[in-house]
Amino acid sequence: MSIALSSVAPNGAKIQQNGTSQQQQKSKLPNPFEFDDYHILNKVYLTHVNDDEKYDKDVLFNLVSTIISASSAQISGTNHTQISFKPDFPALKRISCQMIMTRGKAECVHQTTLWIFQHLRGFSWDAKALITLAAFSLEYGEFMHLYRIQSSDTLGNSLKQLNQVQFRKVPSDISDIVAFLLQVFQHIIQWATWSAMGYDLEEVHSLSDAMQEIPLVVYWTVATIVACSANLVGISEHILSDYIKRLSSVVMRLNDHLEKSKVQIERIDDYYRRLKESENIKGVVGFLRLLIQGNDSDQIPLIYKGNTQVRTGLEVFKKNYVLLFISGLDSIGDEILLLNSIYNRLQDNPQEVIKGFKKEDFKILWIPTVDMWDEVAKNQFRNLKESMKWYVLEYFSQLPGLGIIKNRLNYIDNKPIVSVINSQGEIMNENAMEIIFQWGFDAFPFRKIDGDDLFKKWAWFWNLMKKVDINIEDMRRDSYIFIYGGNDPKWIQDFTRAIGNIQKNQSIKNVDINIDYHQLGKHNTTKIPYFWIGIDGRKQNKTCHDRVDCEIQEAVKSLLCLKQDPLGWVLLSKGYHVTLLGHGEPMYQTVADFGKWKDNVVEKESFDIAFKEYYNIKLKEISSSVSCAVNSSDVLATITCPNPTCGRVMEVTSVNYKCCHRDDQNSCCI
């Protein structure tokens, strides 16, 4: 028998619903098991606005873990301490009620899950998972407590009967499932903890890879909790194994990234330990130990001179200056010949003093760096060692101090360097290779005044671009490059046509300027969310360590601001040097009006300077001409009711606006 239900829509009109219409409505709801990871990631990440809402993580986790642990073991002792925490009971209960009202279809679980994400949109990813788990623990904890109630407890038994605990069809393995969910959360919190520690994602790149999985892990964690909640109260009979299977697959990928992150973090922590020890180095031998001696004695570094092993090891360099030749195994013949000639000159009249330095106090040591010491590499090393007259390190593993070598001595991509270390263990010259090639022994004792700064403001951005869109590699490095994207197809089309006209303009060809342009995600739109997740990941609780790092954070802030432009965004770079980040409309007007400012390209002797000057003019014009009157119906998205039995468009009751003042120093706009 079908019973008609009446309800009132937001506009006051009555709507008749019956069992058939409800069934049709449910059939239109999306089934998450039919989605691939990209579709789920796209839907979930749209609900993530900020992560600055506060909550009492430690208190909440201790309470939840105690409740879950009590399901499999009796907790000894009783804690009577009364505490208050955020979110409060009404907030948790609201989520709990929403979950236990979820009907027995995967489509309904998906709808409730998205409701929870929308409700917790201001919280961090780990907070979303923990708060949902805490809301579930209200019902789960009560059930487990009543299930174990003693027969002598009159009140408890009455509550047990009233809750019909003995008659619920609760899965026998629900305790194991809940314990698994707690383990999953511990992986999430591990990621959050490492992310908050401010590690450079270029060094712990697996942490950035883990960030790509976190929204999926949190989604399936919350979805599994929703299904468990509905099963617990008997309102549905979800097949929990389906949820666990999907969750396990993404957790497995997350764990793989976390394991790699752990190795990378341990390497970085070891680097900083060695870096700190380097501040109190006593002598050149101590410095060399930092570079080549591990934390254990499984493998002892061996020092050879020719084919003869030096029995005293690193002590042979005590009170000497050391020319550290650091390289890979390939294409170093010229460097060996050069250093052999330096060695011969050091041996010629060794008592000679030049510029206050005695030649006999200088020794040469080769430190080879190899990623994989297989038999081919070992034989190649032995052959090279035969051609060297000076000291050689034999250590068939990754150098423990490779981080110090790369960062303190600016050793990049196995490009050979010669670092000069004095007898006190101080770096006299990070890399004397260039001056040795240019001046030979006349450059003795091979010092230099200053070194290059390794940090490049936009290196992280180009690494991200290469990950999300391999076609960026086709861009010429000596070109001006426009990278752009947006949500308005007409703007994309107009901008593409306009920039193409500039590229073909004869005045550009006359001054031999190369213009390239690249639409982000043109060939693969599924990569766009990963691009913005990568940008967002750069700001994960990361504090500025130096001036360049602060500039990176400002660039991230500007990019995230451009993301909000309803038309589009544009990045202009000269090679790898990003010169301008711009909003959609003024950027389009600038390229469309090229004929008005093309003569400035020759006058300024720079395309990007002329471009930026005209862009700033258009930006000012647009900013001053835009009316403040806004029709809310033009900017507000429609949101459907999260109740699985409803699904209608909800009425808008209030709207808040906040201006992004371009002249406000705290604004993200540019």
Side-chain angles (χ1 to χ4, degrees):
M1 178 177 177
S2 176
I3 302 177
L5 302 175
S6 66
S7 59
V8 180
N11 60 9
K14 273 195 172 184
I15 298 176
Q16 293 293 325
Q17 291 182 328
N18 53 35
T20 302
S21 63
Q22 290 182 25
Q23 189 67 29
Q24 291 174 346
Q25 183 186 39
K26 288 181 180 179
S27 65
K28 296 179 181 178
L29 296 175
N31 186 335
F33 292 103
E34 297 175 357
F35 287 160
D36 57 22
D37 289 344
Y38 161 72
H39 285 91
I40 292 177
L41 181 66
N42 194 37
K43 288 181 178 294
V44 169
Y45 207 82
L46 287 175
T47 67
H48 186 65
V49 180
N50 293 302
D51 54 8
D52 52 3
E53 289 283 348
K54 304 299 181 183
Y55 79 113
D56 295 305
K57 178 175 65 178
D58 294 338
V59 174
L60 209 58
F61 178 73
N62 288 336
L63 292 173
V64 169
S65 59
T66 298
I67 292 171
I68 293 176
S69 298
S71 66
S72 58
Q74 186 65 37
I75 302 300
S76 60
T78 304
N79 186 359
H80 297 287
T81 304
Q82 301 298 315
I83 54 177
S84 61
F85 54 87
K86 293 181 180 181
D88 57 12
F89 175 76
L92 294 176
K93 195 64 177 179
R94 189 178 301 114
I95 297 174
S96 175
C97 291
Q98 192 71 31
M99 291 193 295
I100 64 177
M101 291 169 58
T102 303
R103 294 290 179 179
K105 283 194 172 185
E107 292 86 346
C108 298
V109 170
H110 175 67
Q111 191 176 37
T112 299
T113 301
L114 292 185
W115 178 90
I116 292 173
F117 276 104
Q118 185 66 28
H119 190 69
L120 301 177
R121 60 187 176 276
F123 288 89
S124 61
W125 292 106
D126 55 300
K128 298 179 199 291
L130 181 56
I131 291 172
T132 306
L133 192 58
F136 167 75
S137 297
L138 292 176
E139 189 69 31
Y140 177 72
E142 181 183 37
F143 173 82
M144 296 305 300
H145 178 69
L146 294 177
Y147 186 83
R148 294 177 173 184
I149 208 73
Q150 300 296 321
S151 58
S152 59
D153 188 341
T154 305
L155 175 60
N157 272 283
S158 297
L159 287 172
K160 182 177 183 179
Q161 294 180 45
L162 186 61
N163 281 271
Q164 301 183 23
V165 170
Q166 301 300 326
F167 299 102
R168 294 192 199 175
K169 296 180 180 180
V170 178
S172 59
D173 60 346
I174 192 168
S175 295
D176 295 334
I177 294 174
V178 174
F180 173 68
L181 290 172
L182 187 61
Q183 292 177 2
V184 172
F185 175 75
Q186 289 172 331
H187 295 311
I188 297 173
I189 204 65
Q190 181 65 81
W191 164 81
T193 300
W194 283 340
S195 297
M197 294 176 72
Y199 288 108
D200 189 336
L201 296 183
E202 296 300 314
E203 296 177 342
V204 193
H205 51 83
S206 292
L207 201 57
S208 178
D209 296 335
M211 173 62 190
Q212 306 288 343
E213 306 293 346
I214 285 295
L216 289 171
V217 173
V218 175
Y219 171 85
W220 284 110
T221 298
V222 173
T224 304
I225 293 172
V226 172
C228 286
S229 298
N231 282 15
L232 187 65
V233 299
I235 201 171
S236 64
E237 295 183 5
H238 293 285
I239 303 175
L240 299 182
S241 59
D242 291 343
Y243 293 88
I244 294 298
K245 181 178 179 181
R246 195 69 182 265
L247 175 59
S248 297
S249 66
V250 291
V251 169
M252 186 178 300
R253 297 201 300 266
L254 174 64
N255 286 346
D256 181 59
H257 296 315
L258 291 179
E259 287 294 328
K260 293 177 181 177
S261 297
K262 182 173 183 281
V263 173
Q264 293 161 9
I265 288 172
E266 287 176 347
R267 189 175 299 159
I268 290 174
D269 289 344
D270 179 68
Y271 160 70
Y272 282 109
R273 178 189 65 78
R274 292 173 184 269
L275 187 63
K276 186 176 181 180
E277 290 180 6
S278 69
E279 297 173 358
N280 299 309
I281 285 295
K282 296 180 179 179
V284 65
V285 174
F287 182 83
L288 293 176
R289 284 192 178 124
L290 281 181
L291 302 186
I292 64 179
Q293 193 160 299
N295 298 321
D296 52 52
S297 57
D298 291 343
Q299 185 172 355
I300 300 174
L302 303 178
I303 303 298
Y304 283 84
K305 189 173 184 181
N307 291 322
T308 305
Q309 181 182 343
V310 179
R311 298 300 177 183
T312 56
L314 293 176
E315 292 294 325
V316 73
F317 302 105
K318 189 175 182 179
K319 297 182 179 181
N320 288 129
Y321 292 82
V322 178
L323 302 183
L324 281 180
F325 173 43
I326 305 173
S327 73
L329 302 179
D330 298 322
S331 304
I332 58 172
D334 291 341
E335 288 80 1
I336 292 175
L337 290 175
L338 178 64
L339 290 174
N340 277 339
S341 69
I342 297 296
Y343 174 81
N344 291 334
R345 291 293 301 272
L346 289 173
Q347 302 306 307
D348 181 21
N349 190 14
Q351 299 293 326
E352 182 181 1
V353 177
I354 302 175
K355 303 174 187 177
F357 295 88
K358 187 181 293 187
K359 292 198 298 184
E360 67 175 357
D361 291 337
F362 282 75
K363 299 184 185 298
I364 303 174
L365 170 64
W366 179 41
I367 299 180
T369 61
V370 177
D371 293 331
M372 181 64 67
W373 280 105
D374 54 19
E375 285 303 316
V376 174
K378 291 178 181 179
N379 289 332
Q380 188 177 2
F381 164 77
R382 295 184 182 105
N383 291 332
L384 290 170
K385 187 178 69 170
E386 292 289 334
S387 63
M388 299 177 182
K389 302 178 180 180
W390 13 279
Y391 295 95
V392 173
L393 168 71
E394 182 178 297
Y395 190 85
F396 295 147
S397 295
Q398 186 180 63
L399 290 171
L402 188 59
I404 296 288
I405 293 173
K406 288 182 176 180
N407 291 279
R408 287 290 301 274
L409 304 180
N410 291 344
Y411 179 63
I412 304 174
D413 297 331
N414 283 355
K415 185 178 180 180
I417 65 172
V418 174
S419 298
V420 184
I421 314 299
N422 67 16
S423 58
Q424 287 77 42
E426 299 167 342
I427 301 172
M428 293 175 56
N429 191 346
E430 293 174 351
N431 186 9
M433 182 68 77
E434 184 176 347
I435 63 172
I436 292 176
F437 262 112
Q438 185 174 2
W439 302 106
F441 193 79
D442 290 339
F444 180 88
F446 316 114
R447 296 170 295 183
K448 75 173 185 178
I449 297 174
D450 48 24
D452 298 327
D453 187 1
L454 283 178
F455 294 99
K456 300 184 183 297
K457 179 179 177 181
W458 290 97
W460 64 272
F461 174 83
W462 295 110
N463 288 337
L464 175 62
M465 283 296 301
K466 292 173 185 176
K467 289 181 180 179
V468 301
D469 200 333
I470 192 63
N471 293 313
I472 197 66
E473 291 279 16
D474 297 332
M475 301 289 101
R476 293 179 57 177
R477 292 299 110 206
D478 59 347
S479 299
Y480 288 96
I481 304 171
F482 288 87
I483 298 175
Y484 59 99
N487 299 316
D488 190 316
K490 185 177 184 305
W491 181 89
I492 292 286
Q493 183 179 5
D494 291 344
F495 185 86
T496 302
R497 182 172 56 253
I499 198 64
N501 292 336
I502 292 181
Q503 186 185 49
K504 294 179 289 186
N505 193 282
Q506 187 61 43
S507 62
I508 290 295
K509 296 179 180 179
N510 291 341
V511 293
D512 197 24
I513 290 177
N514 297 312
I515 304 289
D516 278 333
Y517 53 96
H518 182 82
Q519 179 186 341
L520 181 68
K522 179 180 180 180
H523 302 291
N524 189 354
T525 58
T526 63
K527 293 293 186 179
I528 296 177
Y530 293 97
F531 171 79
W532 290 113
I533 291 174
I535 297 293
D536 192 61
R538 290 292 304 188
K539 72 174 183 64
Q540 289 290 330
N541 299 315
K542 190 174 185 298
T543 58
C544 295
H545 298 303
D546 53 30
R547 175 185 56 81
V548 176
D549 194 43
C550 289
E551 291 177 357
I552 290 175
Q553 295 304 308
E554 286 300 317
V556 170
K557 181 180 177 182
S558 297
L559 285 165
L560 292 176
C561 177
L562 290 180
K563 175 188 175 185
Q564 303 172 27
D565 193 308
L567 292 178
W569 55 272
V570 183
L571 179 148
L572 172 61
S573 71
K574 185 178 182 181
Y576 282 116
H577 177 49
V578 177
T579 60
L580 179 63
L581 300 174
H583 288 272
E585 183 57 23
M587 271 293 193
Y588 166 71
Q589 292 191 20
T590 301
V591 296
D593 293 347
F594 177 66
K596 298 179 181 180
W597 57 272
K598 63 181 181 180
D599 292 337
N600 292 343
V601 175
V602 177
E603 180 183 342
K604 303 293 182 182
E605 297 182 345
S606 172
F607 174 83
D608 55 337
I609 292 178
F611 188 99
K612 287 165 64 176
E613 286 185 357
Y614 194 83
Y615 169 81
N616 289 331
I617 293 173
K618 304 309 295 182
L619 180 64
K620 185 176 181 180
E621 291 177 358
I622 293 173
S623 300
S624 61
S625 64
V626 173
S627 170
C628 293
V630 180
N631 184 348
S632 64
S633 64
D634 293 334
V635 298
L636 294 178
T638 58
I639 302 176
T640 58
C641 177
N643 191 321
T645 63
C646 178
R648 291 165 294 172
V649 175
M650 296 190 294
E651 181 182 11
V652 178
T653 59
S654 65
V655 181
N656 291 324
Y657 295 94
K658 183 178 180 180
C659 181
C660 178
H661 300 292
R662 298 187 188 277
D663 56 349
D664 183 353
Q665 63 178 356
N666 295 321
S667 170
C668 71
C669 294
I670 58 176

